[in-house]
Amino acid sequence: MWPSLITKAKEGGLDMIQTYVFWNLHEPQKSQYNFNGRADLVRFIKEIQAQGLYASLRIGPFIEGEWNYGGLPFWLHDVPGIVYRSDNEPFKVHMQNFTTTIVNMVKSENLYASQGGPIILSQIENEYQLVEPAYHEKGPPYVKWAAEMAVGLQTGVPWMMCKQNDAPDPVINTCNGMKCGESFPGPNSSKKPWLWTENWTSRYQAYGEEPYTRSPQDIAFQVALFVARNGTFVNYYMYHGGTNFGRTTSSYVTTSYYDEGPLDEYGLIRQPKWGHLKELHAAIKSCSNPILFGTQFMLSLGERQTGYIYRQKSGECAAFLVNNDDTKTVVVPFQNSSYELSPNSISILPDCKNVAFNTAKINVENNTRSITTGKKFNGSEMWEEFRDIIPTFAQTSKRSNTLLEHMNTTKDMSDYLWYTSMYRHESSNSKAVLKVDSAGHALHAFVNGVLIGSTHGSHKNTRFTLENTIPLNEGNNNISLLSVMVGLPDSGAYLESRVAGLRRVRIHDIQNSKDLTNYSWGYQVGLLGEKLQIYLEQTSSKVQWRPFTSPNPLTWYKTSFDAPAGNESLGLNLGSMGKGEAWVNGQSIGRYWVSFVTSQGSPYQTWYHVPRSFLKPTDNLLVILEEENGSPLGISLDIISTI
C-alpha cells in the first residue's frame, strides 16, 4: 500500500512523510534484527524519495504511539538493573546500540539530506518532559545524554525532541497536540525553527472512551495560526493511521488506528478533511516568499481579532487575518478594505488583498464510506471448530506459591496466561462465591472446565474484580483462570515496574472464606492453538478439527474462501463475534473486541481490514479465535469504498 498512500499524501499538498521507528519490530530479540516486508524501513524511505518528498525519522527509540510497550522490546525487561528512560547505564547502552544501528543503516543507503537523501529531520526520545519529574535527579542527565548521543552520530540533519521545552542545543524542542497554534511558546532559542511534530487529526480510539471526531475547520485554523505565528513545519498525526495488525496495539487500543484521518484506515480519501487541508496547503504555499523573506508584524483588528502580516522590502505581502471569537462573525478593516471573518476562522491573503482561503469555509463535497456485503460465511457446513483445552493444575508444569505477574511470565509471547489451582471443598453445600481481583485487561473464569464468568477493565479503569457464584463438588475442584491482555502499556514512567494479571483470589462458602493468593498455582503461557500455530495452513492439521456445532467460549473456527473480484478494499465483518483475534492466510489482521460497546451500545469496531496483498486468488484460509460465545455464522467479507 505504501506507493498509493504516499501518492495521495503528495496530492494532498504534503511535502514530507514522517514515521516512527519501532524498536520492538526491528529488534524483537536482543541483537536479532528484522527489516523485512512491512519492517523494511529503507524501502519505505526510498519510496518517499522516489515520489519527491522529504522524510522525518522519529527514532525514539521509545515512541509511545499507542504501540505495544511504547515500542520498547520486552527483552529489555530482563536486563539486570535496568530502568527505562533514565540516567541508567543498562538502558542507555541498549538505546544507543539501537539508535546507532538505525542511523548507520540509513547512512549506508545515503538517505540523509546531507548525503543527498530525503531525510531532513530526526527525533530522539518522545514527550519525555511529561514523565521527567518522576525520575528526579536521573531525568535531566538522561535528556542531556540522549541529545549528545544523537548529535554525536553526525547525520548532518537536525535532531528534535517533542514536548521537551529545555531540549539541549542544538536539538530542537517541538510541539505535540491539537492547538499548537495557540499553546506553543516557541523554540527555546532564536536559532531554532518552530516545529509541530503531532497535529492530531482526531484521536486514537481506546476501549471505554467515547469516539471523537475533529473537524477539518479546526485543524485548518490551528495550522494557519501556527504558520502565521512563525511556524515552519506541521506534521499531521495521523494523516494515515492504518491498522494495528497482529498484537501491536498498546493497552485497550482498537485495531483500527486514526480512521478519521485525511486518509482513512483503508487508505481511502476522507472528504472534506483531505480536500479542505489540500486547499489550505496551497494557500499557505502561495505566501511562501513573504513568509520566508519578509518581516513579520502583528496588527490589532478588534477585541479578539489579529492580523499577522509578512512584508518584503519589494512590497510583496501576505496576511493572515484571525478571528479568535468562537461565537461572532465579525467584519474587520485591513488596508482600506473590509473582510468578514466567521467565528474561529482565519482568512489567508497571499497578496494582502484577495482571500485565497478561509479555514471555516468548506468548498469540498463530503464523501461517505460505503460497505457492500461480499462473501457471507453463514452456512454451518462452511466452518470447522477446535475447542481449546482448559488446563487443570495437574496439567501445568510451571508452579509458584503465589500469583505471578502476567507480563513477566508471558514475556509478551501471548496475550493469555492461565492461572490454575486445585481447591478442596469440604462442604456438601455446592455453592460458593469466587472473587478475583485483576490488573489484566480481561478475565475468563472456569471451574471444573465450565465457564462461570467473564469480566474486563477499560482504558481508564485498568483494575477490576470478578465476583461470581460458582458450583463446587465436594472434594477437589479445578480452578482455571484465564488472564488476558489487550496490548502492553505504552506511556508513563517506570514501565519496567508495571504489573498486570491476577492480584488476589478468594473463595467464600458457608463455612469459611479462603484466600488463595499465596496458594499453590500452576501456569500455562498461551493457548494450545497458539502454541501449535493452528492459524497457519502448514500446521493447522496438528489438532482435530470438527464440524461446527454451536458457539462456545475459547473456540477456534476455520473456513476457506476465494478472493472477491476487483481491487476494492476489504473489511471482515465480525459483528456477530465477541472477543478474540483473526488470521487470513496465517497473517493476523488484529485483535477484535466487538462485545465491548460504547455508551450508545455500538461496538468500537466491527470491520477489520484485510489487505488485498494478504490474499491469494483462491482457497484463502480464515481462522478465528473466539474467547466468548460469538457465532461465526454472521461473519462476512465486505467491500469498502467511498461514495
Side-chain angles (χ1 to χ4, degrees), residues 550-624:
S550 61
N552 274 280
L554 280 190
T555 299
W556 299 77
Y557 301 104
K558 77 167 182 174
T559 188
S560 61
F561 66 96
D562 295 341
N567 57 6
E568 297 101 334
S569 299
L570 300 173
L572 191 67
N573 182 342
L574 295 176
S576 64
M577 305 304 287
K579 180 182 183 302
E581 190 173 351
W583 291 261
V584 174
N585 291 330
Q587 300 209 60
S588 173
I589 62 170
R591 304 182 182 98
Y592 65 87
W593 200 350
V594 180
S595 60
F596 200 138
V597 296
T598 68
S599 62
Q600 303 301 309
S602 302
Y604 283 94
Q605 184 178 351
T606 300
W607 281 269
Y608 292 78
H609 182 202
V610 180
R612 286 276 180 177
S613 59
F614 284 15
L615 300 180
K616 305 177 292 184
T618 60
D619 200 26
N620 295 280
L621 176 65
L622 171 62
V623 176
I624 309 285

Side-chain angles (χ1 to χ4, degrees), residues 334-394:
F334 176 65
Q335 293 202 163
N336 301 317
S337 295
S338 297
Y339 297 89
E340 184 176 279
L341 299 175
S342 302
N344 265 7
S345 77
I346 299 176
S347 282
I348 300 176
L349 288 61
D351 57 1
C352 282
K353 292 180 182 178
N354 299 296
V355 176
F357 181 83
N358 179 272
T359 59
K361 186 177 181 181
I362 300 286
N363 298 312
V364 181
E365 287 189 16
N366 285 24
N367 67 5
T368 57
R369 180 173 290 169
S370 169
I371 300 174
T372 307
T373 301
K375 169 71 175 175
K376 290 184 177 181
F377 300 95
N378 55 356
S380 58
E381 74 285 354
M382 305 170 88
W383 292 96
E384 294 179 275
E385 67 179 30
F386 168 70
R387 298 183 187 178
D388 212 290
I389 306 302
I390 300 162
T392 64
F393 179 76

Side-chain angles (χ1 to χ4, degrees), residues 33-313:
Y33 294 98
N34 170 30
F35 295 102
N36 300 316
R38 298 204 300 271
D40 192 340
L41 179 63
V42 166
R43 182 178 171 187
F44 182 67
I45 298 169
K46 286 184 175 180
E47 182 60 43
I48 294 169
Q49 183 179 33
Q51 299 208 35
L53 300 182
Y54 295 112
S56 172
L57 207 58
R58 301 178 74 184
I59 298 175
F62 171 82
I63 61 168
E64 191 167 334
E66 295 71 60
W67 186 265
N68 195 49
Y69 218 38
L72 300 177
F74 198 81
W75 56 261
L76 283 174
H77 182 274
D78 295 331
V79 174
I82 198 165
V83 180
Y84 307 158
R85 307 177 70 203
S86 71
D87 189 21
N88 170 270
E89 285 305 315
F91 180 70
K92 291 194 296 184
V93 164
H94 291 294
M95 175 174 165
Q96 183 167 2
N97 283 347
F98 179 74
T99 305
T100 303
T101 297
I102 296 299
V103 168
N104 287 344
M105 179 180 71
V106 171
K107 275 185 180 179
S108 71
E109 298 287 340
N110 297 316
L111 292 174
Y112 282 106
S114 55
Q115 304 170 297
I119 302 171
I120 61 173
L121 276 173
S122 297
Q123 179 178 299
I124 196 73
E125 248 300 329
N126 191 82
E127 298 187 345
Y128 188 70
Q129 187 173 297
L130 299 178
V131 298
E132 187 174 351
Y135 292 98
H136 305 291
E137 74 281 359
K138 295 290 188 179
Y142 168 68
V143 173
K144 184 173 182 290
W145 168 84
E148 291 176 350
M149 181 270 288
V151 173
L153 294 173
Q154 298 182 334
T155 62
V157 304
W159 286 87
M160 55 187 175
M161 284 183 169
C162 60
K163 281 193 178 179
Q164 191 68 38
N165 291 342
D166 62 353
D169 290 343
V171 176
I172 304 162
N173 60 300
T174 75
C175 189
N176 285 2
M178 289 191 183
K179 298 191 179 295
C180 289
E182 300 172 17
S183 63
F184 188 46
N188 60 25
S189 165
S190 60
K191 298 178 181 178
K192 300 177 183 179
W194 290 51
L195 307 183
W196 186 355
T197 27
E198 291 187 14
N199 180 5
W200 304 332
T201 56
S202 62
R203 284 283 287 167
Y204 66 89
Q205 185 61 63
Y207 293 107
E209 296 189 2
E210 291 305 298
Y212 174 85
T213 299
R214 188 180 180 198
S215 73
Q217 295 96 320
D218 183 52
I219 299 171
F221 178 88
Q222 290 294 329
V223 172
L225 185 57
F226 188 77
V227 171
R229 291 182 61 215
N230 278 324
T232 305
F233 164 77
V234 178
N235 173 71
Y236 296 105
Y237 191 99
M238 303 287 290
Y239 198 78
H240 168 70
T243 307
N244 287 307
F245 295 114
R247 299 171 48 248
T248 54
T249 72
S250 63
S251 301
Y252 290 108
V253 172
T254 59
T255 295
S256 174
Y257 191 62
Y258 272 86
D259 185 39
E260 290 287 331
L263 297 179
D264 71 12
E265 179 185 3
Y266 300 88
L268 302 174
I269 288 172
R270 180 177 291 283
Q271 297 286 30
K273 194 170 282 187
W274 184 88
H276 191 56
L277 296 179
K278 177 179 181 176
E279 292 181 355
L280 166 71
H281 304 151
I284 289 173
K285 288 175 184 179
S286 68
C287 303
S288 292
N289 282 339
I291 289 175
L292 289 171
F293 308 114
T295 301
Q296 183 215 52
F297 61 94
M298 292 173 60
L299 192 66
S300 175
L301 301 174
E303 187 178 341
R304 302 193 63 190
Q305 292 76 39
T306 306
Y308 293 86
I309 319 301
Y310 289 86
R311 191 182 301 278
Q312 292 178 260
K313 290 180 180 178

Side-chain angles (χ1 to χ4, degrees), residues 1-17 44 47-53 239-240 263 267 269 274 278:
M1 294 176 68
W2 294 349
S4 65
L5 290 170
I6 294 168
T7 296
K8 290 174 184 176
K10 184 177 181 180
E11 289 173 353
L14 269 60
D15 307 297
M16 176 195 283
I17 303 295
F44 182 67
E47 182 60 43
I48 294 169
Q49 183 179 33
Q51 299 208 35
L53 300 182
Y239 198 78
H240 168 70
L263 297 179
I269 288 172
W274 184 88
K278 177 179 181 176

Side-chain angles (χ1 to χ4, degrees), residues 459-474:
H459 192 245
K460 289 184 177 176
N461 299 299
T462 56
R463 299 206 173 211
F464 57 90
T465 298
L466 178 145
E467 188 168 356
N468 275 72
T469 300
I470 59 173
L472 291 175
N473 301 326
E474 189 170 1

